[in-house]
Amino acid sequence: MKNGLSKRKSFALLIILLCIFIVLNNLQMLKLFQISDDFYVSYEEIDKVNEDRMFGHMVDLTLKEDEVKTGQEKSNEAEVIFKLFGIIPVKKVKVKLLPEEEVYVGGMPIGLTLQTDGAVVVSDTIVDAETASVTKNKFFKNGDLIKEINGIRIESLDDIDLALDSEKDKVNIKFQRNDEEKNIAVELIKDKNGKYKLGLWVRDDVSGVGTLTFVKKDGGQFGALGHAVTNNQNDSVLPMIEGELYSCNLVNIEKGEKNKPGELRCVFVQKNKQGKITKNTKVGIYGVLNEDETIVDQNRHAKLGGRLSVKPGKAKVISSVSGIMEEYDIEIIKANFQSKCDDKSLVIKVTDKRLLELTGGIVQGMSGSPIMQNGKVVGAVTHVFVSDPTKGYGVYSDWMLEQLS
């Protein structure tokens, strides 16, 4: 009797353990349905994923490379197949193969200037050009981007003067607010000389500082910042015509505190131009360095890592905030499985006492600092938590690599 009861208990325990095993595997398997097409990966990373059983013990991944293209040039496109029990295909994903060549690792501060594709409104007041009185603007807000006036495209402040030189007291203005385009008829103001003015404070360029993330050895293409240059009013990507990248000098560090983000204070001058910026995107700025640039440390290089290789745990952030290029300890708290491009791929925490004493954690100007794990550049710092400067966000390096293709 006791023997039968013991067997039933053992059988029940086995069933419970089996159920727990299946549930845990199903939770891990859910991750594969969150993965989108077009991420970067390598054969080495696929082997590591299978070894670590990232998607559960019942799922194996295989990487199938596409056929060689005409002209004997190898394609960088491939396909990842998720197989249940190593046999049954449950999902196929189009991917790109990570480049075999290493990149120069960034970490140094950079200055940048962008000529905007339009004129940015920098004050939501109207100044009467004749009386100098100031009133609230009922049409425009800070950050609005004026694109056209009476059908004339606005690329600089000179274009505004040209568009208003028509002896009309009212103009039609096309402008962009956030990601929405609007049209409005606006009455003009005459100055003391009888010339028509908008009465707005506007500018046709922006400048700032950030950090270089990586540079391709062949051709000098670079990625930096990790997030977009915006109009400071929202997260909309600021349209640009062209831009310049500069080397800059760190002159002061304002430490970050709770509810008070810190800042790297840097100076740069136009004679220190190091390259041209060609793209401003949600995941950083991109362009090409000059052939004679001196900003890159050619002794510091590594491969880029894809998102499948990124795991919660120990990592490094590269920065020269101390005056020399150094590696600082951080912890990756969370690695998101993103279905679309976003600059908040990772949640990170600074654990290195040296960096905490120097900056308090993550500060403004550190955006773009390379994040390294297992010897590869897997991402870049993008944002700081205002409530806790020791924590912040990072972006996957393969989102950034995508912008160079």
Side-chain angles (χ1 to χ4, degrees):
M1 186 74 175
K2 286 183 179 178
N3 254 350
L5 185 62
S6 178
K7 284 181 179 179
R8 285 197 296 272
K9 283 183 177 179
S10 297
F11 182 72
L13 181 60
L14 182 63
I15 294 297
I16 290 170
L17 291 174
L18 183 61
C19 289
I20 292 172
F21 175 78
I22 292 171
V23 169
L24 290 175
N25 268 278
N26 284 339
L27 289 175
Q28 287 179 288
M29 284 177 63
L30 286 175
K31 295 178 182 177
L32 70 90
F33 297 106
Q34 298 171 344
I35 293 181
S36 63
D37 286 355
D38 289 338
F39 60 88
Y40 281 82
V41 72
S42 67
Y43 285 96
E44 177 189 347
E45 289 178 350
I46 292 294
D47 290 341
K48 185 64 176 171
V49 167
N50 286 331
E51 180 184 331
D52 294 343
R53 292 299 175 187
M54 181 182 289
F55 298 96
H57 289 273
M58 296 185 288
V59 177
D60 289 297
L61 278 64
T62 58
L63 182 60
K64 180 183 176 184
E65 195 169 349
D66 284 359
E67 296 297 322
V68 175
K69 291 184 177 178
T70 56
Q72 301 302 310
E73 183 180 342
K74 204 171 187 180
S75 169
N76 72 336
E77 295 180 352
E79 184 178 62
V80 169
I81 305 171
F82 297 80
K83 293 181 179 180
L84 194 61
F85 308 118
I87 302 171
I88 306 168
V90 292
K91 184 172 182 176
K92 296 181 180 180
V93 177
K94 290 290 183 183
V95 297
K96 294 181 179 179
L97 295 175
L98 281 164
E100 286 295 321
E101 64 270 18
E102 294 183 333
V103 296
Y104 296 124
V105 181
M108 58 288 296
I110 54 168
L112 60 101
T113 60
L114 299 182
Q115 182 185 345
T116 60
D117 186 11
V120 182
V121 177
V122 295
S123 175
D124 57 0
T125 58
I126 294 177
V127 180
D128 191 304
E130 188 170 0
T131 66
S133 62
V134 179
T135 56
K136 186 76 173 177
N137 190 320
K138 59 184 179 181
F139 300 118
F140 298 99
K141 295 181 179 180
N142 279 358
D144 286 348
L145 190 69
I146 296 175
K147 307 282 286 185
E148 289 183 8
I149 298 178
N150 281 349
I152 297 175
R153 184 180 175 187
I154 304 302
E155 295 182 354
S156 68
L157 300 185
D158 291 337
D159 294 332
I160 292 180
D161 290 336
L162 177 65
L164 299 183
D165 191 20
S166 59
E167 299 300 321
K168 293 181 180 178
D169 59 2
K170 183 180 283 191
V171 292
N172 292 309
I173 296 180
K174 179 189 289 186
F175 68 98
Q176 181 177 316
R177 176 174 297 161
N178 299 332
D179 293 321
E180 182 183 359
E181 283 202 345
K182 296 175 176 284
N183 287 277
I184 196 167
V186 177
E187 291 187 1
L188 300 177
I189 301 168
K190 276 189 176 182
D191 66 12
K192 293 178 181 180
N193 299 316
K195 284 192 168 288
Y196 286 109
K197 301 290 182 182
L198 283 174
L200 294 171
W201 290 104
V202 296
R203 59 184 304 176
D204 58 6
D205 64 357
V206 297
S207 60
V209 298
T211 299
L212 188 68
T213 307
F214 62 81
V215 180
K216 293 185 74 172
K217 289 185 176 182
D218 183 17
Q221 287 179 293
F222 68 82
L225 213 59
H227 62 70
V229 177
T230 69
N231 56 20
N232 292 325
Q233 301 301 313
N234 51 58
D235 293 329
S236 296
V237 178
L238 193 65
M240 59 161 282
I241 296 173
E242 59 183 19
E244 308 288 352
L245 181 140
Y246 303 87
S247 59
C248 66
N249 297 316
L250 178 63
V251 295
N252 189 33
I253 299 174
E254 185 177 328
K255 288 184 68 172
E257 300 174 4
K258 183 178 180 180
N259 299 322
K260 186 182 177 184
E263 181 182 8
L264 300 183
R265 294 184 178 171
C266 305
V267 294
F268 61 92
V269 292
Q270 289 190 348
K271 70 176 183 178
N272 291 331
K273 184 169 70 174
Q274 299 289 319
K276 189 170 289 294
I277 301 169
T278 56
K279 293 175 74 174
N280 177 30
T281 77
K282 188 173 183 178
V283 289
I285 57 171
Y286 302 87
V288 181
L289 295 184
N290 301 334
E291 289 185 7
D292 59 346
E293 57 78 25
T294 57
I295 196 171
V296 172
D297 180 359
Q298 296 190 0
N299 295 314
R300 189 178 289 271
H301 43 82
K303 285 188 176 182
L304 293 171
R307 73 186 66 176
L308 287 187
S309 68
V310 186
K311 297 189 299 182
K314 293 181 179 180
K316 302 281 186 180
V317 65
I318 312 298
S319 179
S320 58
V321 290
S322 69
I324 59 173
M325 196 71 68
E326 295 191 73
E327 295 184 356
Y328 296 100
D329 293 327
I330 64 170
E331 181 185 357
I332 296 176
I333 299 173
K334 185 177 181 181
N336 294 312
F337 282 83
Q338 295 171 311
S339 59
K340 59 182 180 180
C341 184
D342 191 77
D343 58 5
K344 295 179 179 178
S345 311
L346 309 169
V347 179
I348 61 175
K349 179 180 176 64
V350 176
T351 58
D352 198 300
K353 290 183 179 179
R354 297 170 302 155
L355 188 57
L356 292 172
E357 289 175 3
L358 193 61
T359 64
I362 300 167
V363 296
Q364 296 176 73
M366 286 180 66
S367 295
S369 299
I371 296 171
M372 297 193 69
Q373 192 175 54
N374 298 321
K376 294 182 179 181
V377 179
V378 298
V381 175
T382 57
H383 301 84
V384 60
F385 286 12
V386 176
S387 60
D388 183 358
T390 67
K391 295 180 180 178
Y393 289 109
V395 63
Y396 288 127
S397 60
D398 57 0
W399 283 134
M400 299 183 71
L401 182 59
E402 181 72 22
Q403 301 302 319
L404 298 184
S405 59

